[in-house]
Amino acid sequence: MAASASPLVVTEESLGKSQNVSLLRRSGGAYERFKIDPNTATQESDNDVLRAEVVNDPALLDNDNRVSRSNPDAFVLSSLNAYKEGTSTTLQETDTPGTYILSADDLLIKDILSRNVKRQDEAQGEKTRLPFSDLIFTKQFTAFDRQNPASASSPFHGFFTMFWLGIFLLLVKLAADNWRAYGNILGPSELLEMMFDREVFVMGVTDIVLCCSTVFCLVLQKAILAGYSSWNKSGWIIQNIWQTTYIGAFVGWSVYRDWPWSHSFFILIHTLVMLMKQHSYAFYNGHLSELYKRKEVLEQKLKDLEELHRGFPIGPEATSSTAFASSYLGEAQENTLNLRHKKAPSEESNCDTSGIARLMATVKSGTSLQPDDMLCLRTIIEAEIDALQEELRTKCTDSTKQYPFNLTFRNFAQYIPFPTVVYELEYPRQDSINWYYVAEKGAATFGIIVVMNIISQTYIYPIVVSTVKMAEAGMGVGERLEELPWVIIDLLLPLMIEHLLAWYVVWDCVLNLLAELTYFADRGFYSSWWNSTSFDQYARDWNRPVHNFLLRHVYHSSISAFHLSKPTAMLATFFLSALVHELVMWCLFRKVRGYLMGMQMLQLPLVGLAKTRWMRQRKLLGNVIFWFGIITGPSCLCSLYLIT
């Protein structure tokens, strides 16, 4: 606890000149009665004088076991369990005979006063964004889903049909060529042999372990709830150590097994997905655990007040200018505690912005609190409890899913297969599973993977083999760079088609399939990214689940935790995304070149250009620039990694 205290003046007039006035001290869950004699300032129990064991410092006592009046730290009492660690209340004699100062180290009360000033400002229009309140899950469909009414009625629906018809005719052409050249419609099968020839079973077991080990997050949150740790102190450190170990172990395992790119790519992508899920689950519940703990402390303060009020007989004189004050709330009518939820703070006491500001100034200056101030302080704490309860509830409508009731294995096991990497207490759900829809999306997933394999085998694999042979033949980098333009041109259309098919199979087929199987009703996995006029719009729309994660846990968290400005937070978000994408390229090519990371960071100047007035008025030009980058980018990057 901090040593700074908020002193409150207590005089003989408020204590009673000829009376010993009882205080309560909480010790091990029980309350002991003590007496303060304002004339001698000694502490006496009902049986004997409390000696150094209670005062905890022999230097504070004189030879008669009385408090030394010359010591400025005159008298220490244990207070009422502030923030579950205890804050000390100090009674000091002042220059005025018969007047003492009763002070308390309660940083929580000071923080509550500051928060309520902000809450008053919000009521006047200055809204503050609550942590983890930035996302709203709603029932919706993806743009190309046949269940989406907007898709079926779109005037561009025919282009969607034309695209798939074109893919079908391309397959017919490839099948005819393979039949003529190899005697079968599939042609050579080097890629299939590479993907299924080595350690498929080991990869499957690794993936099971990868998913099951995520339960560590649930165990950690249960330990935090039980009081074995605190999220703000050591919990978040343990979680980050675990996440680093998690990704390092599974990526290292794939390197150790020397898997082909297909195995390593699958394990890396699934590791990243599970890593984001764990991070969101842990940091959201960690935040809620701190709110829950704070709420419990404040509720305990109100309970302690009732005990304190019954043990402190306050006469009519106590309502004068220097009413009794403790480290908590002070004097007020006993039935005030029952007014919670019945009256607003402005109705219960003069507890508006000016009242809170006056209360803060009074506590800071060490002057006495008036009865109205004490009532305002109580009202503030009650309002804080209500605000914490509301924040704990968030958008959850089912009380059985609110924190801490959500910390169950059932809840965690449901969250892991959900097609989202952002944790919420409650998601929109559907009532049943459409098994015809499941079969449709399953068949589409399998069919598109077959198409992608045929295109890769026919148009991409031979070029990759030729670049490998260049390096094996001893050609220098300069000689290989002379071939770079031709490699880019040869890969241009195949990689563009693969790029589009890979996006569609993941974000429209696989995620919709998972959503249907898990009753997940929010299918907003992407937006109309093909109409993007800037790369930041594309980053938001093409992969909504990851965008939501970066928005909540990187962009907003860097602003709130590290106090970064919005441009700096956006730069940090882009940089982290670029690092992860470079990790994926290392997994594919087993080399670190930084080409993808550099090109992704170069999007930032283009984002700034797109926000100028000149470009905002030329949306068609912005869309042309965007599509030029989407078409040429994969080919240029892949060629650079292959050649160099």
Side-chain angles (χ1 to χ4, degrees):
M1 273 295 176
S4 59
S6 303
L8 307 172
V9 175
V10 181
T11 67
E12 288 183 352
E13 180 183 359
S14 62
L15 291 175
K17 289 180 179 289
S18 59
Q19 303 180 35
N20 287 341
V21 184
S22 299
L23 287 178
L24 291 177
R25 179 171 71 88
R26 187 172 185 177
S27 175
Y31 288 92
E32 300 179 12
R33 183 176 300 277
F34 297 96
K35 297 179 180 180
I36 296 177
D37 185 342
N39 297 314
T40 61
T42 61
Q43 179 176 355
E44 299 176 355
S45 70
D46 291 336
N47 300 318
D48 56 359
V49 176
L50 295 175
R51 303 183 187 275
E53 301 85 40
V54 175
V55 180
N56 294 324
D57 190 348
L60 297 179
L61 300 178
D62 58 21
N63 295 330
D64 297 325
N65 286 325
R66 297 174 181 270
V67 175
S68 173
R69 292 175 178 270
S70 62
N71 195 317
D73 298 322
F75 192 52
V76 179
L77 294 173
S78 173
S79 74
L80 294 174
N81 191 30
Y83 222 129
K84 291 189 173 180
E85 295 177 1
T87 57
S88 60
T89 302
T90 306
L91 181 64
Q92 300 177 354
E93 186 178 16
T94 65
D95 295 334
T96 304
T99 302
Y100 305 92
I101 294 177
L102 190 63
S103 62
D105 302 333
D106 201 332
L107 300 180
L108 182 59
I109 295 297
K110 296 178 181 179
D111 182 53
I112 289 173
L113 294 175
S114 300
R115 284 167 60 95
N116 273 269
V117 170
K118 293 181 181 180
R119 194 171 291 119
Q120 293 282 356
D121 292 338
E122 291 174 8
Q124 298 174 6
E126 301 178 11
K127 296 293 184 182
T128 301
R129 188 189 67 84
L130 294 175
F132 304 103
S133 63
D134 48 346
L135 300 178
I136 298 178
F137 288 84
T138 59
K139 186 174 182 179
Q140 56 182 318
F141 299 101
T142 54
F144 294 119
D145 197 332
R146 63 175 177 81
Q147 298 182 100
N148 189 348
S151 175
S153 60
S154 171
F156 298 100
H157 185 71
F159 283 96
F160 181 74
T161 304
M162 181 192 69
F163 173 81
W164 287 113
L165 183 59
I167 293 295
F168 172 75
L169 294 176
L170 175 63
L171 288 179
V172 172
K173 191 262 184 189
L174 292 176
D177 291 343
N178 289 331
W179 179 266
R180 184 169 59 180
Y182 304 104
N184 64 81
I185 61 175
L186 297 178
S189 56
E190 290 94 341
L191 288 179
L192 286 176
E193 292 174 359
M194 180 181 62
M195 291 190 321
F196 294 102
D197 184 57
R198 289 189 52 201
E199 297 196 343
V200 176
F201 177 77
V202 176
M203 184 189 68
V205 173
T206 301
D207 193 55
I208 294 174
V209 174
L210 185 150
C211 294
C212 293
S213 58
T214 59
V215 78
F216 174 87
C217 299
L218 174 62
V219 175
L220 177 60
Q221 292 303 317
K222 294 285 260 184
I224 290 173
L225 178 63
Y228 294 108
S229 179
S230 172
W231 176 255
N232 282 349
K233 290 182 179 179
S234 60
W236 70 274
I237 298 176
I238 296 173
Q239 179 63 33
N240 279 307
I241 292 174
W242 162 251
Q243 291 176 183
T244 304
T245 305
Y246 183 84
I247 188 172
F250 286 105
V251 172
W253 175 251
S254 67
V255 174
Y256 172 75
R257 302 299 300 183
D258 193 25
W259 282 337
W261 69 268
S262 56
H263 295 44
S264 300
F265 179 77
F266 173 78
I267 291 297
L268 175 60
I269 294 300
H270 209 184
T271 300
L272 292 173
V273 170
M274 291 297 118
L275 187 72
M276 288 186 285
K277 279 181 170 287
Q278 292 178 82
H279 183 93
S280 185
Y281 181 88
F283 276 77
Y284 190 17
N285 280 297
H287 167 71
L288 294 180
S289 73
E290 291 299 314
L291 297 180
Y292 186 75
K293 181 176 69 174
R294 184 186 182 100
K295 174 174 165 289
E296 282 191 320
V297 170
L298 292 176
E299 289 174 340
Q300 184 62 48
K301 286 180 180 291
L302 292 179
K303 293 179 181 178
D304 288 342
L305 174 62
E306 290 182 321
E307 295 288 342
L308 187 62
H309 177 68
R310 287 195 291 268
F312 200 114
I314 300 175
E317 67 275 10
T319 59
S320 63
S321 62
T322 54
F324 160 77
S326 75
S327 64
Y328 289 92
L329 303 174
E331 183 275 333
Q333 291 86 358
E334 184 173 356
N335 61 0
T336 306
L337 290 172
N338 299 323
L339 296 178
R340 189 169 165 226
H341 303 298
K342 295 181 181 180
K343 293 183 179 181
S346 59
E347 299 173 332
E348 201 169 315
S349 65
N350 184 20
C351 207
D352 54 8
T353 304
S354 61
I356 297 174
R358 184 180 67 253
L359 183 58
M360 293 178 68
T362 302
V363 172
K364 184 177 181 180
S365 64
T367 57
S368 60
L369 293 179
Q370 301 298 322
D372 285 347
D373 295 331
M374 305 308 298
L375 187 59
C376 180
L377 185 56
R378 173 186 284 109
T379 304
I380 287 173
I381 293 180
E382 292 170 346
E384 180 73 9
I385 293 175
D386 288 337
L388 290 171
Q389 181 60 42
E390 185 65 26
E391 195 169 351
L392 283 168
R393 185 182 302 113
T394 61
K395 300 174 286 292
C396 185
T397 58
D398 187 352
S399 60
T400 62
K401 297 179 181 179
Q402 297 173 14
Y403 187 91
F405 306 111
N406 65 314
L407 298 181
T408 63
F409 180 78
R410 176 184 175 87
N411 179 275
F412 185 80
Q414 285 181 336
Y415 163 65
I416 288 299
F418 280 165
T420 179
V421 291
V422 173
Y423 180 76
E424 281 287 351
L425 297 178
E426 188 176 47
Y427 300 96
R429 309 293 297 276
Q430 60 185 27
D431 298 328
S432 61
I433 296 178
N434 184 340
W435 291 105
Y436 178 79
Y437 182 83
V438 170
E440 174 191 329
K441 289 300 180 182
T445 300
F446 176 78
I448 294 174
I449 291 176
V450 171
V451 171
M452 292 176 64
N453 180 75
I454 293 175
I455 293 175
S456 296
Q457 179 68 58
T458 304
Y459 295 110
I460 299 176
Y461 183 73
I463 299 173
V464 173
V465 171
S466 67
T467 58
V468 172
K469 289 181 178 179
M470 290 181 194
E472 292 176 348
M475 293 179 60
V477 177
E479 293 179 287
R480 282 180 280 161
L481 286 175
E482 293 178 359
E483 299 295 322
L484 181 63
W486 308 109
V487 175
I488 292 176
I489 293 174
D490 289 340
L491 291 176
L492 200 64
L493 290 179
L495 281 180
M496 184 196 72
I497 294 175
E498 292 287 83
H499 181 96
L500 294 176
L501 291 177
W503 169 82
Y504 183 81
V505 74
V506 173
W507 278 270
D508 197 86
C509 295
V510 174
L511 293 185
N512 271 317
L513 177 62
L514 282 175
E516 190 68 27
L517 291 173
T518 57
Y519 301 88
F520 195 82
D522 190 338
R523 314 287 175 87
F525 306 128
Y526 59 88
S527 187
S528 54
W529 58 266
W530 44 88
N531 294 325
S532 299
T533 57
S534 65
F535 283 98
D536 64 325
Q537 181 182 353
Y538 169 69
R540 290 192 301 270
D541 291 344
W542 83 282
N543 186 352
R544 299 294 296 180
V546 172
H547 167 73
N548 291 337
F549 176 87
L550 293 174
L551 178 68
R552 169 183 282 187
H553 295 289
V554 180
Y555 179 77
H556 283 158
S557 293
S558 62
I559 292 176
S560 60
F562 301 107
H563 308 291
L564 299 182
S565 63
K566 289 184 177 181
T568 306
M570 183 178 72
L571 178 63
T573 305
F574 258 84
F575 183 69
L576 178 62
S577 176
L579 283 177
V580 173
H581 281 82
E582 188 62 33
L583 177 62
V584 173
M585 300 307 287
W586 167 83
C587 174
L588 291 173
F589 296 99
R590 285 295 193 269
K591 59 180 72 172
V592 178
R593 294 292 185 269
Y595 299 136
L596 178 56
M597 185 173 67
M599 287 189 178
Q600 190 165 345
M601 296 306 294
L602 286 176
Q603 292 178 4
L604 290 175
L606 295 177
V607 170
L609 176 64
K611 292 182 178 180
T612 61
R613 175 183 293 183
W614 189 83
M615 281 299 298
R616 287 201 304 266
Q617 295 174 350
R618 292 164 174 81
K619 294 187 178 298
L620 177 60
L621 177 61
N623 190 243
V624 169
I625 295 173
F626 159 73
W627 270 111
F628 181 81
I630 292 297
I631 294 172
T632 61
S635 178
C636 290
L637 284 170
C638 185
S639 300
L640 284 171
Y641 280 99
L642 288 172
I643 293 294
T644 62

